[in-house]
Amino acid sequence: MATYKLYYFNARGRAEVLRLLFAAAGQRFEDSRFEQNTWPSFKSQMPLSQVPVLEVNGTTLVQSQTIARFLARQFLLGGRDGFELAKVEAVVDTINDFVSILSPIRREQDEKKKKEQLQKFLNDDLPKHLQNLEILARLYGNGGQYFIGNNLTLADLTFYDAGETLLQLDPNCLNNHPWLKQNRLLVASQPRIAEYLRNRPKTAF
Amino acid sequence: MPSYKLYYFNGRGRAEVARLIFAAAGEKYEDVRYERDQWPAHKAEMPLGQMPVLEVDGVKLPQSLSIARFLAKQFHLAGKDNFEQAQVDAVVDTIYDCLTKYVPIRFETDEAKKEELTKKFLAEELPKHLQNFETLGKLYGKGGHFFVGKQLTWADLLFFDVGAIILQVDSNAFNNHAWLKQNRAEVEKQPKIAEYLKNRPQTQF
Protein backbone atom coordinates (compact mmCIF):
# COMPACT_ATOMS: atom_id res chain seq x y z
CA MET A 1 0.00 0.00 0.00
CA ALA A 2 1.59 3.22 -1.13
CA THR A 3 1.15 6.39 0.92
CA TYR A 4 0.49 9.61 -0.96
CA LYS A 5 0.92 13.20 0.24
CA LEU A 6 0.01 16.04 -2.11
CA TYR A 7 1.32 19.56 -1.45
CA TYR A 8 -0.33 22.61 -3.10
CA PHE A 9 -2.02 25.92 -2.34
CA ASN A 10 -5.54 25.97 -0.99
CA ALA A 11 -6.91 26.09 -4.54
CA ARG A 12 -7.76 23.97 -7.55
CA GLY A 13 -5.12 25.30 -9.97
CA ARG A 14 -2.55 22.75 -11.10
CA ALA A 15 -3.46 20.21 -8.42
CA GLU A 16 -7.15 19.71 -9.01
CA VAL A 17 -6.77 17.09 -11.76
CA LEU A 18 -4.63 15.10 -9.27
CA ARG A 19 -7.36 15.31 -6.63
CA LEU A 20 -9.89 14.18 -9.26
CA LEU A 21 -7.69 11.16 -10.00
CA PHE A 22 -7.55 10.20 -6.31
CA ALA A 23 -11.32 10.68 -6.09
CA ALA A 24 -12.09 8.64 -9.22
CA ALA A 25 -9.91 5.83 -7.91
CA GLY A 26 -11.32 6.00 -4.39
CA GLN A 27 -7.73 6.30 -3.12
CA ARG A 28 -6.90 7.98 0.18
CA PHE A 29 -4.23 10.69 0.24
CA GLU A 30 -3.07 13.54 2.46
CA ASP A 31 -4.27 16.77 0.83
CA SER A 32 -1.80 19.29 2.27
CA ARG A 33 -2.82 22.90 1.37
CA PHE A 34 -0.81 26.07 2.08
CA GLU A 35 -2.28 29.50 2.39
CA GLN A 36 -0.38 32.22 0.49
CA ASN A 37 1.26 33.47 3.72
CA THR A 38 2.64 30.08 4.82
CA TRP A 39 3.97 29.17 1.34
CA PRO A 40 7.32 31.01 1.70
CA SER A 41 8.36 28.78 4.61
CA PHE A 42 7.60 25.60 2.61
CA LYS A 43 9.03 26.79 -0.72
CA SER A 44 12.63 25.84 0.05
CA GLN A 45 11.61 22.29 0.93
CA MET A 46 10.27 21.65 -2.57
CA PRO A 47 12.95 20.38 -5.02
CA LEU A 48 12.21 23.00 -7.70
CA SER A 49 10.65 25.51 -5.29
CA GLN A 50 7.29 24.88 -6.93
CA VAL A 51 4.07 23.02 -6.25
CA PRO A 52 2.24 20.72 -6.74
CA VAL A 53 4.56 18.09 -5.38
CA LEU A 54 3.58 14.49 -4.62
CA GLU A 55 5.36 12.48 -1.96
CA VAL A 56 5.07 8.75 -2.66
CA ASN A 57 6.32 6.52 0.15
CA GLY A 58 8.68 9.35 1.11
CA THR A 59 10.12 10.10 -2.37
CA THR A 60 9.26 13.45 -3.92
CA LEU A 61 7.85 13.72 -7.42
CA VAL A 62 7.60 17.11 -9.16
CA GLN A 63 5.69 18.49 -12.19
CA SER A 64 1.89 18.43 -12.23
CA GLN A 65 1.53 16.65 -15.58
CA THR A 66 4.02 13.97 -14.61
CA ILE A 67 2.23 13.38 -11.33
CA ALA A 68 -1.09 13.16 -13.18
CA ARG A 69 0.25 10.60 -15.63
CA PHE A 70 1.83 8.56 -12.87
CA LEU A 71 -1.38 8.42 -10.82
CA ALA A 72 -3.42 7.63 -13.95
CA ARG A 73 -1.20 4.61 -14.59
CA GLN A 74 -1.28 3.56 -10.93
CA PHE A 75 -5.06 3.74 -10.83
CA LEU A 76 -5.72 2.21 -14.28
CA LEU A 77 -7.12 5.49 -15.58
CA GLY A 78 -4.58 5.68 -18.41
CA GLY A 79 -6.09 3.45 -21.08
CA ARG A 80 -5.76 -0.29 -21.43
CA ASP A 81 -2.38 -0.57 -23.19
CA GLY A 82 0.66 1.45 -24.25
CA PHE A 83 -0.94 2.86 -27.38
CA GLU A 84 -4.18 3.84 -25.60
CA LEU A 85 -2.02 5.59 -22.99
CA ALA A 86 -0.35 7.52 -25.79
CA LYS A 87 -3.77 8.61 -27.09
CA VAL A 88 -4.78 9.71 -23.56
CA GLU A 89 -1.59 11.76 -23.37
CA ALA A 90 -2.11 13.26 -26.83
CA VAL A 91 -5.54 14.55 -25.70
CA VAL A 92 -4.07 15.87 -22.43
CA ASP A 93 -1.27 17.65 -24.34
CA THR A 94 -3.86 19.21 -26.65
CA ILE A 95 -5.84 20.50 -23.64
CA ASN A 96 -2.66 21.87 -22.10
CA ASP A 97 -1.88 23.67 -25.36
CA PHE A 98 -4.76 26.08 -24.69
CA VAL A 99 -4.42 26.08 -20.89
CA SER A 100 -0.88 27.35 -21.33
CA ILE A 101 -2.12 30.21 -23.53
CA LEU A 102 -4.72 31.11 -20.92
CA SER A 103 -2.44 31.07 -17.84
CA PRO A 104 -0.42 34.24 -18.56
CA ILE A 105 -3.62 36.07 -19.57
CA ARG A 106 -5.24 35.23 -16.24
CA ARG A 107 -2.15 36.54 -14.44
CA GLU A 108 -2.21 39.89 -16.34
CA GLN A 109 -2.41 42.76 -13.85
CA ASP A 110 -3.69 45.47 -16.19
CA GLU A 111 -7.47 44.91 -16.13
CA LYS A 112 -8.11 46.52 -19.51
CA LYS A 113 -5.34 44.55 -21.21
CA LYS A 114 -6.55 41.35 -19.53
CA LYS A 115 -10.10 41.83 -20.78
CA GLU A 116 -8.80 42.41 -24.33
CA GLN A 117 -6.55 39.37 -24.31
CA LEU A 118 -9.30 37.22 -22.87
CA GLN A 119 -11.75 38.28 -25.58
CA LYS A 120 -9.16 37.48 -28.22
CA PHE A 121 -8.54 34.08 -26.64
CA LEU A 122 -12.24 33.22 -26.48
CA ASN A 123 -12.97 34.43 -30.01
CA ASP A 124 -9.81 33.55 -31.95
CA ASP A 125 -7.93 30.76 -30.12
CA LEU A 126 -10.38 28.65 -28.17
CA PRO A 127 -12.73 27.54 -30.98
CA LYS A 128 -10.00 25.73 -32.92
CA HIS A 129 -8.67 24.05 -29.77
CA LEU A 130 -12.15 22.79 -28.90
CA GLN A 131 -12.49 21.58 -32.47
CA ASN A 132 -9.16 19.74 -32.16
CA LEU A 133 -10.41 17.97 -29.06
CA GLU A 134 -13.53 16.86 -30.90
CA ILE A 135 -11.35 15.56 -33.76
CA LEU A 136 -9.30 13.48 -31.34
CA ALA A 137 -12.42 12.18 -29.59
CA ARG A 138 -13.79 11.03 -32.95
CA LEU A 139 -10.43 9.46 -33.81
CA TYR A 140 -9.90 7.66 -30.49
CA GLY A 141 -13.27 7.49 -28.73
CA ASN A 142 -14.80 4.48 -30.52
CA GLY A 143 -18.02 6.47 -31.01
CA GLY A 144 -18.63 6.78 -27.23
CA GLN A 145 -18.82 9.61 -24.69
CA TYR A 146 -15.28 9.28 -23.36
CA PHE A 147 -12.20 10.63 -25.14
CA ILE A 148 -10.50 7.25 -25.45
CA GLY A 149 -11.89 3.79 -25.86
CA ASN A 150 -15.23 3.94 -24.02
CA ASN A 151 -13.62 4.23 -20.56
CA LEU A 152 -12.99 7.11 -18.16
CA THR A 153 -9.35 8.17 -18.36
CA LEU A 154 -7.10 11.05 -17.34
CA ALA A 155 -8.08 12.73 -20.62
CA ASP A 156 -11.70 13.14 -19.46
CA LEU A 157 -10.65 14.32 -15.98
CA THR A 158 -8.22 16.84 -17.48
CA PHE A 159 -10.92 18.24 -19.76
CA TYR A 160 -13.42 18.36 -16.90
CA ASP A 161 -10.99 20.48 -14.88
CA ALA A 162 -9.92 22.76 -17.76
CA GLY A 163 -13.57 23.13 -18.74
CA GLU A 164 -14.41 24.45 -15.30
CA THR A 165 -11.94 27.30 -15.80
CA LEU A 166 -13.25 28.02 -19.31
CA LEU A 167 -16.87 28.14 -18.17
CA GLN A 168 -15.94 30.53 -15.35
CA LEU A 169 -14.59 32.90 -18.02
CA ASP A 170 -17.43 32.37 -20.49
CA PRO A 171 -20.43 30.25 -19.49
CA ASN A 172 -21.41 29.90 -23.16
CA CYS A 173 -18.11 28.71 -24.61
CA LEU A 174 -19.19 25.07 -24.94
CA ASN A 175 -22.61 25.84 -26.41
CA ASN A 176 -21.54 24.80 -29.92
CA HIS A 177 -19.78 21.70 -28.65
CA PRO A 178 -22.42 19.22 -27.48
CA TRP A 179 -20.03 16.27 -27.35
CA LEU A 180 -17.68 18.14 -25.02
CA LYS A 181 -20.60 19.27 -22.85
CA GLN A 182 -21.91 15.72 -22.62
CA ASN A 183 -18.42 14.39 -21.81
CA ARG A 184 -18.17 16.75 -18.81
CA LEU A 185 -21.62 15.79 -17.58
CA LEU A 186 -20.65 12.14 -17.74
CA VAL A 187 -17.51 12.77 -15.66
CA ALA A 188 -19.43 14.78 -13.05
CA SER A 189 -22.04 12.05 -12.70
CA GLN A 190 -19.56 9.27 -11.82
CA PRO A 191 -20.57 8.50 -8.19
CA ARG A 192 -17.12 8.98 -6.57
CA ILE A 193 -16.52 12.16 -8.55
CA ALA A 194 -19.98 13.55 -7.81
CA GLU A 195 -19.31 12.95 -4.12
CA TYR A 196 -15.90 14.63 -4.34
CA LEU A 197 -17.30 17.68 -6.17
CA ARG A 198 -20.03 18.05 -3.57
CA ASN A 199 -17.60 18.03 -0.63
CA ARG A 200 -14.43 19.74 -1.88
CA PRO A 201 -13.38 23.18 -0.54
CA LYS A 202 -14.79 26.10 -2.59
CA THR A 203 -11.87 28.28 -3.73
CA ALA A 204 -11.52 31.30 -6.00
CA PHE A 205 -9.29 29.53 -8.54
CA MET B 1 6.08 -5.92 -34.93
CA PRO B 2 4.26 -2.60 -35.37
CA SER B 3 5.20 -0.41 -38.32
CA TYR B 4 6.20 3.17 -37.51
CA LYS B 5 6.03 6.23 -39.73
CA LEU B 6 7.17 9.64 -38.42
CA TYR B 7 6.01 12.80 -40.22
CA TYR B 8 7.81 16.14 -39.74
CA PHE B 9 9.61 18.93 -41.56
CA ASN B 10 13.12 18.38 -42.81
CA GLY B 11 14.63 19.52 -39.53
CA ARG B 12 15.37 18.44 -35.96
CA GLY B 13 12.86 20.65 -34.13
CA ARG B 14 10.15 18.81 -32.23
CA ALA B 15 10.78 15.47 -33.92
CA GLU B 16 14.45 14.92 -33.16
CA VAL B 17 13.92 13.40 -29.73
CA ALA B 18 11.71 10.71 -31.34
CA ARG B 19 14.44 10.06 -33.94
CA LEU B 20 17.03 9.77 -31.15
CA ILE B 21 14.81 7.24 -29.37
CA PHE B 22 14.48 5.13 -32.54
CA ALA B 23 18.26 5.37 -32.98
CA ALA B 24 19.11 4.46 -29.38
CA ALA B 25 16.78 1.47 -29.60
CA GLY B 26 18.07 0.39 -33.01
CA GLU B 27 14.47 0.37 -34.28
CA LYS B 28 13.42 0.93 -37.90
CA TYR B 29 10.87 3.55 -38.97
CA GLU B 30 9.95 5.57 -42.03
CA ASP B 31 11.36 9.08 -41.51
CA VAL B 32 9.03 11.24 -43.64
CA ARG B 33 10.33 14.81 -44.02
CA TYR B 34 8.35 17.55 -45.78
CA GLU B 35 10.03 20.68 -47.12
CA ARG B 36 8.20 23.94 -46.30
CA ASP B 37 6.58 24.12 -49.75
CA GLN B 38 5.30 20.53 -49.59
CA TRP B 39 3.65 20.94 -46.17
CA PRO B 40 0.45 22.79 -47.16
CA ALA B 41 -0.60 19.85 -49.35
CA HIS B 42 -0.27 17.43 -46.42
CA LYS B 43 -1.54 19.59 -43.55
CA ALA B 44 -5.11 18.30 -43.80
CA GLU B 45 -3.86 14.71 -43.48
CA MET B 46 -2.67 15.37 -39.92
CA PRO B 47 -5.32 15.16 -37.15
CA LEU B 48 -4.56 18.60 -35.69
CA GLY B 49 -3.02 20.12 -38.82
CA GLN B 50 0.38 19.98 -37.13
CA MET B 51 3.53 17.85 -36.96
CA PRO B 52 5.23 15.77 -35.71
CA VAL B 53 2.77 12.92 -36.09
CA LEU B 54 3.57 9.26 -35.50
CA GLU B 55 1.62 6.69 -37.48
CA VAL B 56 1.54 3.29 -35.77
CA ASP B 57 0.05 0.50 -37.88
CA GLY B 58 -1.97 3.15 -39.72
CA VAL B 59 -3.28 5.08 -36.65
CA LYS B 60 -2.04 8.66 -36.31
CA LEU B 61 -0.80 10.10 -33.00
CA PRO B 62 -0.11 13.84 -32.62
CA GLN B 63 1.88 15.72 -29.91
CA SER B 64 5.65 15.45 -29.84
CA LEU B 65 6.08 14.54 -26.17
CA SER B 66 3.33 11.91 -26.18
CA ILE B 67 4.95 10.37 -29.25
CA ALA B 68 8.36 10.32 -27.59
CA ARG B 69 7.02 8.90 -24.34
CA PHE B 70 5.15 6.14 -26.18
CA LEU B 71 8.21 5.14 -28.21
CA ALA B 72 10.46 5.25 -25.14
CA LYS B 73 8.11 2.88 -23.34
CA GLN B 74 7.90 0.57 -26.35
CA PHE B 75 11.69 0.38 -26.49
CA HIS B 76 12.40 0.24 -22.73
CA LEU B 77 13.99 3.68 -22.61
CA ALA B 78 11.41 5.16 -20.23
CA GLY B 79 12.40 3.88 -16.77
CA LYS B 80 12.16 0.44 -15.12
CA ASP B 81 8.80 0.78 -13.40
CA ASN B 82 5.91 3.19 -13.03
CA PHE B 83 7.65 5.37 -10.45
CA GLU B 84 10.91 5.57 -12.42
CA GLN B 85 8.85 6.50 -15.48
CA ALA B 86 7.38 9.34 -13.44
CA GLN B 87 10.87 10.50 -12.48
CA VAL B 88 11.87 10.46 -16.15
CA ASP B 89 8.71 12.41 -17.00
CA ALA B 90 9.46 14.95 -14.27
CA VAL B 91 12.87 15.62 -15.83
CA VAL B 92 11.29 15.85 -19.29
CA ASP B 93 8.66 18.33 -18.08
CA THR B 94 11.36 20.44 -16.42
CA ILE B 95 13.45 20.51 -19.61
CA TYR B 96 10.30 21.41 -21.53
CA ASP B 97 9.58 24.31 -19.13
CA CYS B 98 12.92 25.79 -20.19
CA LEU B 99 12.30 25.19 -23.90
CA THR B 100 8.84 26.81 -23.65
CA LYS B 101 10.45 30.01 -22.33
CA TYR B 102 13.00 30.04 -25.15
CA VAL B 103 10.85 29.15 -28.19
CA PRO B 104 8.99 32.50 -28.52
CA ILE B 105 12.34 34.31 -28.34
CA ARG B 106 13.75 32.13 -31.08
CA PHE B 107 10.85 33.00 -33.38
CA GLU B 108 10.97 36.76 -32.66
CA THR B 109 11.25 38.51 -36.03
CA ASP B 110 12.51 41.90 -34.81
CA GLU B 111 16.28 41.32 -34.68
CA ALA B 112 17.04 43.98 -32.07
CA LYS B 113 14.25 42.75 -29.80
CA LYS B 114 15.39 39.16 -30.29
CA GLU B 115 18.93 40.02 -29.20
CA GLU B 116 17.61 41.77 -26.08
CA LEU B 117 15.28 38.94 -25.15
CA THR B 118 18.03 36.38 -25.73
CA LYS B 119 20.42 38.26 -23.44
CA LYS B 120 17.71 38.46 -20.78
CA PHE B 121 16.96 34.75 -21.14
CA LEU B 122 20.62 33.78 -20.75
CA ALA B 123 21.15 36.05 -17.76
CA GLU B 124 17.89 35.63 -15.85
CA GLU B 125 16.03 32.46 -16.98
CA LEU B 126 18.53 29.85 -18.09
CA PRO B 127 20.64 29.66 -14.91
CA LYS B 128 17.73 28.61 -12.74
CA HIS B 129 16.58 26.01 -15.27
CA LEU B 130 20.09 24.50 -15.43
CA GLN B 131 20.13 24.46 -11.64
CA ASN B 132 16.79 22.62 -11.65
CA PHE B 133 18.11 20.01 -14.10
CA GLU B 134 21.04 19.33 -11.81
CA THR B 135 18.75 19.16 -8.77
CA LEU B 136 16.68 16.44 -10.41
CA GLY B 137 19.78 14.61 -11.69
CA LYS B 138 20.97 14.45 -8.09
CA LEU B 139 17.53 13.50 -6.73
CA TYR B 140 16.77 10.70 -9.21
CA GLY B 141 20.14 9.77 -10.75
CA LYS B 142 21.38 7.51 -7.93
CA GLY B 143 24.84 9.10 -8.15
CA GLY B 144 25.37 8.19 -11.82
CA HIS B 145 25.72 10.14 -15.04
CA PHE B 146 22.17 9.64 -16.30
CA PHE B 147 19.17 11.61 -15.09
CA VAL B 148 17.28 8.61 -13.69
CA GLY B 149 18.33 5.32 -12.17
CA LYS B 150 21.82 4.94 -13.65
CA GLN B 151 20.49 4.02 -17.11
CA LEU B 152 19.99 5.87 -20.38
CA THR B 153 16.39 7.03 -20.68
CA TRP B 154 14.67 9.43 -23.02
CA ALA B 155 15.15 12.19 -20.42
CA ASP B 156 18.86 12.05 -21.31
CA LEU B 157 18.05 12.02 -25.03
CA LEU B 158 15.76 15.06 -24.69
CA PHE B 159 18.37 16.92 -22.69
CA PHE B 160 20.95 16.06 -25.34
CA ASP B 161 18.70 17.54 -28.02
CA VAL B 162 17.64 20.67 -26.10
CA GLY B 163 21.21 21.12 -24.89
CA ALA B 164 22.33 21.42 -28.52
CA ILE B 165 19.85 24.28 -28.99
CA ILE B 166 21.08 26.00 -25.80
CA LEU B 167 24.71 25.66 -26.90
CA GLN B 168 23.85 27.21 -30.29
CA VAL B 169 22.63 30.29 -28.37
CA ASP B 170 25.56 30.32 -25.93
CA SER B 171 28.43 27.89 -26.38
CA ASN B 172 29.53 28.53 -22.77
CA ALA B 173 26.15 27.76 -21.21
CA PHE B 174 27.30 24.57 -19.48
CA ASN B 175 30.75 25.77 -18.33
CA ASN B 176 29.62 25.88 -14.71
CA HIS B 177 27.58 22.70 -14.99
CA ALA B 178 30.00 19.78 -15.12
CA TRP B 179 27.33 17.16 -14.45
CA LEU B 180 25.20 18.38 -17.39
CA LYS B 181 28.25 18.40 -19.67
CA GLN B 182 29.16 14.88 -18.60
CA ASN B 183 25.58 13.69 -19.11
CA ARG B 184 25.57 14.89 -22.74
CA ALA B 185 28.98 13.32 -23.31
CA GLU B 186 27.66 9.97 -22.07
CA VAL B 187 24.72 10.15 -24.49
CA GLU B 188 26.95 11.13 -27.40
CA LYS B 189 29.27 8.19 -26.98
CA GLN B 190 26.57 5.48 -26.94
CA PRO B 191 27.54 3.55 -30.13
CA LYS B 192 24.11 3.62 -31.81
CA ILE B 193 23.68 7.31 -31.04
CA ALA B 194 27.21 8.20 -32.18
CA GLU B 195 26.45 6.44 -35.46
CA TYR B 196 23.10 8.24 -35.85
CA LEU B 197 24.64 11.65 -35.14
CA LYS B 198 27.33 10.99 -37.74
CA ASN B 199 24.83 10.10 -40.47
CA ARG B 200 21.75 12.27 -39.83
CA PRO B 201 20.89 15.10 -42.28
CA GLN B 202 22.51 18.42 -41.31
CA THR B 203 19.67 20.94 -41.11
CA GLN B 204 19.27 24.56 -40.06
CA PHE B 205 16.88 23.85 -37.22
Side-chain angles (χ1 to χ4, degrees):
Chain A
M1 261 322 284
T3 61
Y4 301 102
K5 189 167 176 178
L6 178 68
Y7 297 86
Y8 194 62
F9 300 107
N10 182 21
R12 285 169 284 121
R14 290 182 189 277
E16 194 61 10
V17 68
L18 310 178
R19 298 185 185 116
L20 286 167
L21 282 159
F22 281 115
Q27 171 68 49
R28 285 186 130 59
F29 72 108
E30 197 179 327
D31 189 14
S32 180
R33 297 170 177 245
F34 317 121
E35 296 299 336
Q36 288 286 355
N37 58 355
T38 46
W39 166 233
S41 61
F42 283 99
K43 193 173 156 120
S44 56
Q45 294 175 39
M46 306 296 148
L48 307 186
S49 304
Q50 293 174 321
V51 278
V53 154
L54 182 72
E55 223 173 72
V56 185
N57 294 340
T59 302
T60 304
L61 201 57
V62 298
Q63 294 287 4
S64 60
Q65 291 307 302
T66 285
I67 297 168
R69 255 179 255 119
F70 166 70
L71 293 174
R73 293 192 304 266
Q74 289 286 97
F75 304 150
L76 306 179
L77 290 164
R80 288 161 311 179
D81 58 37
F83 197 45
E84 268 200 1
L85 178 57
K87 293 171 185 173
V88 170
E89 290 172 5
V91 172
V92 170
D93 284 355
T94 306
I95 295 166
N96 284 328
D97 278 350
F98 71 75
V99 170
S100 61
I101 299 173
L102 194 51
S103 297
I105 298 175
R106 288 175 84 200
R107 284 198 298 268
E108 174 61 58
Q109 305 277 22
D110 178 335
E111 279 303 323
K112 185 166 178 279
K113 208 173 175 191
K114 180 176 180 173
K115 202 170 172 191
E116 242 174 69
Q117 288 174 346
L118 214 47
Q119 260 328 108
K120 184 174 183 292
F121 170 79
L122 291 169
N123 294 337
D124 299 343
D125 288 316
L126 185 61
K128 81 163 185 278
H129 287 286
L130 295 181
Q131 223 174 337
N132 281 347
L133 288 178
E134 282 172 331
I135 288 171
L136 294 184
R138 269 197 290 278
L139 204 56
Y140 302 146
N142 287 357
Q145 294 291 174
Y146 296 108
F147 272 104
I148 283 94
N150 300 111
N151 287 313
L152 180 78
T153 64
L154 171 64
D156 307 291
L157 297 178
T158 304
F159 184 65
Y160 182 81
D161 186 44
E164 217 171 348
T165 301
L166 290 177
L167 291 166
Q168 258 185 326
L169 296 169
D170 174 9
N172 295 316
C173 64
L174 296 183
N175 284 1
N176 296 329
H177 299 274
W179 190 94
L180 295 175
K181 261 185 150 173
Q182 188 56 36
N183 170 267
R184 289 191 79 251
L185 283 173
L186 191 56
V187 170
S189 67
Q190 309 273 306
R192 287 188 189 135
I193 299 188
E195 166 109 21
Y196 170 72
L197 293 175
R198 251 198 323 266
N199 296 323
R200 69 177 171 178
K202 302 278 178 262
T203 54
F205 69 98
Chain B
M1 261 321 285
S3 70
Y4 300 106
K5 198 165 171 177
L6 181 68
Y7 298 86
Y8 194 60
F9 299 105
N10 184 18
R12 284 166 283 118
R14 291 183 188 275
E16 194 62 10
V17 65
R19 297 189 185 114
L20 284 166
I21 293 168
F22 276 118
E27 289 282 342
K28 285 182 143 44
Y29 67 109
E30 199 180 329
D31 187 17
V32 178
R33 293 166 178 253
Y34 295 135
E35 297 298 339
R36 292 262 171 220
D37 56 1
Q38 294 174 300
W39 167 234
H42 293 281
K43 193 172 153 99
E45 294 164 12
M46 307 301 155
L48 308 184
Q50 294 175 318
M51 299 192 291
V53 159
L54 181 73
E55 204 177 281
V56 186
D57 288 339
V59 182
K60 286 192 167 73
L61 193 68
Q63 298 289 2
S64 59
L65 289 184
S66 289
I67 291 168
R69 198 175 296 110
F70 167 68
L71 292 172
K73 288 208 196 109
Q74 291 285 97
F75 307 144
H76 308 297
L77 287 165
K80 287 191 318 263
D81 56 37
N82 199 14
F83 197 46
E84 258 198 12
Q85 283 176 16
Q87 292 168 34
V88 171
D89 283 348
V91 174
V92 166
D93 284 357
T94 306
I95 295 168
Y96 208 68
D97 279 351
C98 176
L99 190 63
T100 303
K101 287 265 147 69
Y102 178 61
V103 165
I105 299 173
R106 199 178 186 185
F107 287 106
E108 174 59 58
T109 46
D110 178 338
E111 280 302 324
K113 197 174 180 196
K114 181 174 179 174
E115 206 180 322
E116 205 190 299
L117 290 172
T118 304
K119 270 207 177 92
K120 193 165 183 277
F121 172 79
L122 291 173
E124 295 170 30
E125 271 293 327
L126 186 61
K128 76 170 186 264
H129 289 286
L130 296 183
Q131 191 59 51
N132 282 347
F133 302 153
E134 285 188 335
T135 296
L136 294 186
K138 277 200 267 292
L139 198 60
Y140 302 144
K142 296 205 163 104
H145 290 300
F146 297 113
F147 273 105
V148 180
K150 287 194 152 129
Q151 279 181 309
L152 179 77
T153 66
W154 73 287
D156 305 293
L157 298 178
L158 181 67
F159 183 65
F160 181 80
D161 188 41
V162 173
I165 297 172
I166 295 172
L167 290 169
Q168 259 186 324
V169 183
D170 174 14
S171 51
N172 295 315
F174 300 142
N175 285 1
N176 296 327
H177 295 276
W179 191 92
L180 296 177
K181 259 186 157 172
Q182 185 61 34
N183 171 267
R184 291 188 80 250
E186 289 293 327
V187 169
E188 222 164 10
K189 71 182 196 211
Q190 306 277 306
K192 290 187 183 129
I193 302 204
E195 172 93 22
Y196 171 72
L197 294 175
K198 224 174 31 223
N199 296 323
R200 69 175 171 181
Q202 298 308 313
T203 54
Q204 232 186 343
F205 67 96

